[in-house]
Amino acid sequence: MNNDESHLDGAARLAANYLRTIGKRRVAPSVSEIQALDALSGPLPESSLSPAEVLALVDRIGSPATIATTGGRYFGFVNGGTLPAALAASWLVSAWDQNVSLRVMSPAGAAFEDVALDWVLDILRLPPTSGGAIVTGATMANFCGLAAARHALLRRAGWNVEEDGLFGAPPLRLVVGDEVHISLLKAVALLGLGRQRVERAPVDGQGRMRTDALPDLDDRTIVCVQAGNVNTGAFDPAAEICRRAHERNAWVHVDGAFGLWAAASPRFRHLTDGFGDADSWATDGHKWPNVGYDCGIAAVRDPDALRGAMATASAYFVPGGRREPSQFSPEMSRRARGVELWAALRSLGRQGLAALVERTADHAARFADGLRERGYEILNDVVINQVLVSFGTAEVTRATVARIQEDGVLWCGATEWQGRTAMRISVSSWATSEEDVRLSLEAIDRAARECRRPETLA
Ligand SMILES: Cc1ncc(COP(=O)(O)O)c(C=O)c1O
């Protein structure tokens, strides 16, 4: 091992080359590129390699088998790309190798995190005094919000859940919409609240919770609402739900993995009205804001509820007087994710963030219009960046999705929406251009025509 840093220049060159050529390659790797990953298998060799040799192998074997999520034509799941400033900041963060657990362990990491969290609260129109955590994604952010809710509701009932656990605790209720995201149920399971115990409230045709069918709420209930359904992009009627919940002293948690960022845009802000009345919120930096993987954010109106659920101390691990990052988050050792979040937001500024939200939503509308014009059925009201399209029968739709994925011009996944099979288009990347949408529409149309049975062709 030596201290020669030339491999870092090499890494920058390889990364730049990867990004420069991303638009020209297939979005999903070919079968042979995936098969070539077999070169990784086998026992760990006895001999060592130089950093440059290791990197050459990572690039040669790994790069061709990546999914081109940082290009402009990846519309799968709800995955953002990575903004240039966020990517560059993440390199520096890796070089710093900070452990942002206690402030004394990384003054810089903690300071960037403080400011990034304040900015997020401000952009999302959440109470400025909320407690916050930067975590790996919305799943862990949901976990944080529900852990704070569990702490606060049980404390009110005279039970200390962190000390005494859930055995024998007063039961809590959880109310979710029938189109709840699976990550929220994962958080429910991790917290010992029981996936089977949740009460599912009926939803309308867009997946929004129906306030006329909300169960009775009480002071042992956590109600989970969504800002941005993963299929339709729809928003629950948060103002009315928060009002009804708070009349009964229930807790409202918001899963706003991507939808909450609509608040950044003057055009779409109204969709998030009422969500700020809730008690806890979960969102992602790696989706709409394009921070790069991974970055999620949790916020809790009462910072003591989050701290109560997460804080820990020992003789060697003594929190200081100011906000200590790990006292609000599930992990002790933590990457300096706040720097990447800060860098993404600082590079965009308020106007750039609004433009990113609006541009991607405009692309989604372009997809919906273009597909309708070509005779395909759009199954959702396209309110933000999500489009659901059917190409006919479930069989034809599934075959079309498979053909599109095989072609490699773009990548979209399939879903089931209230009994219909659909293809989901999520426009979440800063890198998507009008030309990407045009090329993708052509490729989608071509695949759909090929997959339609001859008798269904006009
Ligand atoms: C509404 C919603 N909640 C939660 C999640 C989970 O987010 P993550 O994968 O960042 O944990 C997603 C992911 O798409 C989502 O759309």
Side-chain angles (χ1 to χ4, degrees), residues 78 136-140 142 181 183 226 228-230 255 257-258 284 286-287:
V78 187
T136 50
T139 306
M140 283 315 290
N142 279 327
H181 193 269
S183 70
Q226 277 191 128
N229 174 280
V230 72
D255 176 358
F258 58 102
D284 264 320
H286 55 221
K287 289 190 168 68

Side-chain angles (χ1 to χ4, degrees), residues 122-158:
D122 184 36
I123 295 162
L124 303 186
R125 302 191 296 165
L126 306 182
T129 50
S130 300
I134 301 183
V135 290
T136 50
T139 306
M140 283 315 290
N142 279 327
F143 174 88
C144 291
L146 295 182
R150 187 182 71 162
H151 171 90
L153 297 195
L154 286 177
R155 185 181 51 189
R156 201 158 63 195

Side-chain angles (χ1 to χ4, degrees), residues 228-285:
N229 174 280
V230 72
N231 283 304
T232 63
F235 292 71
D236 283 333
E240 172 65 7
I241 294 174
C242 287
R243 190 186 62 74
R244 303 241 305 252
H246 289 153
E247 269 172 17
R248 300 300 173 94
N249 281 329
W251 180 288
V252 183
H253 172 74
V254 178
D255 176 358
F258 58 102
L260 270 184
W261 293 95
S265 149
R267 245 170 74 198
F268 293 105
R269 185 166 295 151
H270 64 279
L271 294 169
T272 64
D273 286 351
F275 284 92
D277 298 343
D279 301 285
S280 56
W281 303 267
T283 193
D284 264 320

